[in-house]
């Protein structure tokens, strides 16, 4: 089954070739079905270069030809190109406090397999989590719809602070992880499972959620887009001109720990009054369904059920539940306004468990943004709800692998890997 | 006297030429004294292209040759190049609540003229302010040290929200300005003063302060640098990888209006509990020298004196004054921590009146950053004090014009303009 793409070669002409391969792939993604001449026009490359690259991409199983479109496009007969959606698969995984998720997508970023399971990650610890993630990946690769496909790589989303270059989680307070070399562990586990040398990418869940929204959400290709995770933790993935704002140490977007209320409730990070302690799912459930959650740290497995119970009680018209959701929405809005004043995005998208709670959270959130965001006074910042559900971060993990291919940062897999 | 650079030509080969001119200028700025061959190596351009561009730059009075360095650089005899610091001047201006400032710099960004005068801008209104700014510029151009120099342009810093592309101030609450076409007004005033068609750039004071720090401050070339203005208003200029983070509507960095304290004091923007209402100079003076400031809006002319009085009282050991400064420093630190969590910079530089107050503000500010910034936990965010005094924004206005020249965004002035 899947074998790895070749390692990146030395800098120089090889890099230019990879960059051009990426440009051609991207042009075909955007323009398909399209001719070689159209690809040349879109990329600025010569027709000879495009022809040579297209031949290589076809050989590698990334692009395919068809003549059928000649009739539909008057005056443009001939062979048309499109991405080959049959040969490859990219896996996106997410571990969060209460679940594991996997999404497998083809080269067109269409979902081919999706798996979701409740899992008490905090109780299990990092080694057990890594083992379950690897199991999930290996199980997905056994699915009939992935048979014969080569694996582009595995992208893993984690709710914490990540050294993306090293693939290391150095602090994930809500999971209780410190300094976990997740990429190394997963590569070893996948190797033992018969899938050696898989490229593994590890990134923050909010960052990957933002990538998923940018590439495939209902507001995709909004250049300055922010995705906010609504889990036990709250994180922001910030895109500026379509690129992730990572910050000097890779930790930009930690909206969950901005200090909003002096002397507020204790946060998972040990501080008081962080946004997360006021509007994280933990805080919301303790106010809306106190009878369903224990006093200590939340167990990881029944948050979805507890959120559903909150929705039910709010729908029944219970005033206390609705008021608690409005309060959390207001705090969330103060956090979003703060982010808006500093970063000034086009749109902020609320994801995760915030989506089912949006009927009650969103009006209060928008009102607080309106009250406190000075920066986007002219344009009117939009606050919207994600339609990607709990799969956003995992989708982003897979999408980030395809984006790397499209932008020439990863060499396309060789034919040998099919 | 000074006449304008030619308007930007049509796109295409002309643009490439301008970009290359900028690259060569930048290479000479960084490497001077250096040979044509060294410039070719630094830019990746061919020696023939470099020779042609250098000839043009010499003709235009931007670069000069010298042979004197041949002896000092064994094995590298021949003619060396450096920037010509004699022919041009760039003017930077700032209007703030209580002063006007002008800094004139040569092509090496060395200060040639500096003017500073107290001015109650809020009382004067925008037309009068524009007239005084134009007067200041025309007066500077009469200075003997600027005699015979051609004017590269005028860069103006304003504490407010700017449409930089249009040169329009659309909201400056602390000046009481709304929708002021400052560039158009200044160009007209300068024309009437005998200086027609001057390029005029208008930008936010914090943005230009950040540019000044990046190009010429004691922490220059720190890629992810934030400059915070300490005036009646508090603004942040945010550099990411050396480039300004502008946001989708150009309003990123409005740190002064992030909501920090529910039900806090009324802010100039009409809201309550904004950072500015807790740690702006207005708020600080009302707590430290209430006997020296009136109850209503501050008059614009004696803030420097009032800040000096605050410093004096703090130095005398007055406990109430020191405590008030520490409180403001703590709020400032909560604001900086919030920014750090969202943007994760290398360094935050406190400017304006925060600099003389730093002995009391800074320890409290750093402690609050330490307490609330989760993002830069690994590296330790640095909070430092500007050494550019009240000239930072004006210097940034001049530096931005030179940066535009260096990066090929502005065509170099023609010889006719000398």
């Amino acid at each position: 089954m899947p074998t790895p793409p070749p390692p990146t070669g030395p800098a120089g002409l090889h890099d230019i070739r990879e960059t051009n391969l990426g440009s051609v792939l991207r042009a075909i993604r955007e323009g398909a079905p399209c001719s070689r001449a159209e690809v040349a026009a879109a990329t600025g490359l010569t027709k000879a270069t495009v022809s040579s690259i297209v031949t290589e991409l076809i050989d590698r199983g990334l692009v395919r030809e068809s003549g059928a479109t000649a009739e539909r496009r008057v005056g443009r007969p001939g062979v048309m190109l499109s991405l080959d959606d049959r040969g490859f698969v990219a896996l996106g995984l997410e571990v969060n406090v209460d679940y594991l998720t996997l999404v497998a997508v083809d080269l067109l970023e269409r979902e081919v397999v999706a798996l979701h399971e409740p899992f008490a990650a905090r109780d299990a610890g990092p080694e057990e989590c890594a083992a379950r993630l690897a199991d999930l990946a290996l199980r997905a690769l056994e699915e009939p719809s992935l048979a014969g496909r080569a694996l582009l790589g595995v992208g893993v989303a984690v709710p914490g602070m990540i050294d993306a270059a090293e693939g290391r989680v150095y602090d994930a307070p809500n999971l209780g992880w410190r300094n976990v070399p997740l990429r190394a562990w997963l590569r070893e586990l996948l190797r033992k499972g018969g899938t050696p040398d898989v490229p593994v990418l590890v990134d923050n869940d909010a960052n990957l959620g933002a990538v998923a929204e940018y590439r495939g959400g209902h507001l995709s290709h909004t250049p300055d887009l922010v995705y906010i995770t609504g889990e036990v933790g709250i994180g922001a993935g910030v895109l500026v001109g379509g690129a992730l704002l990572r910050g000097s140490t890779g930790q930009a977007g930690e909206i969950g720990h901005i200090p909003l209320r002096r002397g507020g409730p204790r946060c998972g990070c040990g501080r008081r009054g962080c946004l997360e302690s006021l509007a994280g799912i933990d805080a919301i459930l303790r106010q809306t369904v106190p009878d369903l959650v224990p006093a200590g740290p939340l167990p990881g497995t029944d948050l979805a059920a507890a959120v559903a119970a909150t929705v039910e009680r709010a729908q029944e018209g219970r005033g206390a539940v609705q008021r608690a959701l409005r309060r959390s929405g207001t705090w969330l809005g103060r956090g979003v306004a703060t982010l808006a004043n500093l970063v000034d995005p086009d749109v902020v998208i609320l994801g995760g468990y915030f989506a089912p709670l949006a009927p009650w959270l969103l009006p209060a959130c928008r009102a607080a943004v309106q009250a406190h965001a000075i920066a986007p006074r002219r344009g009117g910042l939009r606050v919207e709800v994600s339609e990607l559900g709990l799969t956003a971060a995992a989708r982003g993990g897979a999408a980030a692998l395809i984006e790397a291919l499209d932008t020439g940062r990863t060499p396309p897999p060789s034919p040998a890997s099919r």
Side-chain angles (χ1 to χ4, degrees), chain A:
Chain A
M1 260 276 291
T3 54
T8 305
L13 288 178
H14 183 70
D15 281 356
I16 294 170
R17 177 81 178 174
E18 299 306 345
T19 302
N20 289 345
L21 279 162
S23 298
V24 170
L25 263 183
R26 213 159 57 240
I28 296 172
R29 178 182 301 282
E30 284 159 15
C34 55
S35 68
R36 285 170 173 77
E38 286 168 331
V39 171
T43 57
L45 299 170
T46 66
K47 286 182 188 172
T49 302
V50 169
S51 281
S52 152
I53 287 175
V54 166
T55 301
E56 180 172 344
L57 293 174
I58 291 171
D59 286 349
R60 293 186 176 196
L62 291 158
V63 165
R64 61 173 162 180
E65 291 180 318
S66 72
T69 55
E71 292 166 6
R72 286 193 284 116
R73 295 162 68 106
V74 178
R76 288 191 175 278
V79 177
M80 305 301 275
L81 305 169
S82 55
L83 293 185
D84 190 338
D85 56 355
R86 302 163 302 182
F88 291 94
V89 64
L91 296 189
L93 291 162
E94 182 189 5
V95 50
N96 216 307
V97 173
D98 60 318
Y99 62 80
L100 304 175
T101 285
L102 175 144
V103 176
V105 305
D106 65 18
L107 214 53
L108 294 171
E109 293 180 58
R110 287 183 309 210
E111 187 176 301
V112 192
V113 170
L115 302 170
H116 183 87
E117 50 185 55
F119 179 66
R122 195 158 45 185
D123 301 338
E127 285 89 351
E128 174 66 13
C129 266
R132 291 290 290 268
L133 286 170
D135 272 357
L136 205 61
L138 293 168
R139 216 183 329 141
L141 293 172
E142 300 293 319
E143 294 274 328
S145 55
L146 298 193
R149 287 178 187 262
L151 184 59
L152 273 177
V154 177
V156 191
V158 180
M161 300 183 206
I162 316 291
D163 183 327
E166 279 192 31
R168 180 182 292 270
V169 181
Y170 62 84
D171 197 4
N174 292 318
L175 296 178
W177 293 12
R178 280 281 178 105
N179 206 21
V180 173
L182 188 60
R183 172 158 68 201
W185 287 3
L186 280 177
R187 282 173 61 92
E188 177 61 15
L189 289 160
L190 291 169
R191 188 189 63 76
K192 285 187 182 160
T195 308
D197 301 320
V198 179
V200 174
L201 166 162
V202 180
D203 208 337
N204 172 270
D205 59 343
N207 283 351
L208 291 177
V211 169
E213 291 288 352
Y214 185 72
R215 290 185 71 91
H218 68 301
L219 296 162
S220 66
H221 298 287
T222 305
D224 293 348
L225 173 157
V226 173
Y227 175 81
I228 296 192
T229 63
E231 315 287 343
V232 172
I234 303 178
V238 179
L239 294 176
V240 176
L244 276 171
L245 177 72
R246 290 196 174 272
S248 68
T249 67
Q251 308 314 319
E254 283 290 345
I255 193 174
H257 301 285
I258 62 176
L260 279 188
R261 185 172 162 192
R262 280 187 102 167
R266 181 75 66 185
C267 180
C269 73
R271 297 173 182 79
R272 282 190 175 279
C274 298
L275 171 59
E276 202 165 290
S277 74
L278 297 158
I281 289 303
D282 188 333
I284 287 176
L285 294 180
R286 288 187 191 289
Q287 294 172 69
T288 56
V289 288
D291 50 314
L292 301 183
V293 296
L298 285 185
T301 44
D302 54 2
L303 296 189
V307 169
T310 295
V311 169
E312 200 172 307
R313 292 182 190 182
Q315 281 170 337
E316 285 167 3
R318 294 207 202 175
V321 169
Q322 294 179 341
R323 279 192 299 278
L325 289 173
R326 280 200 296 271
R327 269 199 308 276
S328 288
T330 299
W331 286 116
L332 185 58
R334 290 173 74 95
V336 170
T338 298
L339 182 145
N341 284 344
L342 291 172
V343 175
D344 185 13
D346 292 303
V347 64
V348 172
I349 303 175
L350 305 181
Y353 292 125
F354 286 154
L357 299 172
W360 303 276
L361 288 177
L362 192 58
C365 175
R366 283 180 172 155
V369 168
Q370 189 65 27
H372 292 286
I374 191 173
R377 184 180 282 182
R378 279 193 310 176
L381 172 71
R382 283 183 297 160
V383 183
E384 304 290 346
V385 178
S386 175
E387 297 181 357
L388 298 179
L390 296 182
T391 67
R395 275 172 179 276
L401 294 161
I402 290 177
E403 184 179 67
L405 193 67
D406 273 10
T407 51
R409 283 173 289 146
T410 303
S414 69
S417 71
R418 297 198 67 204

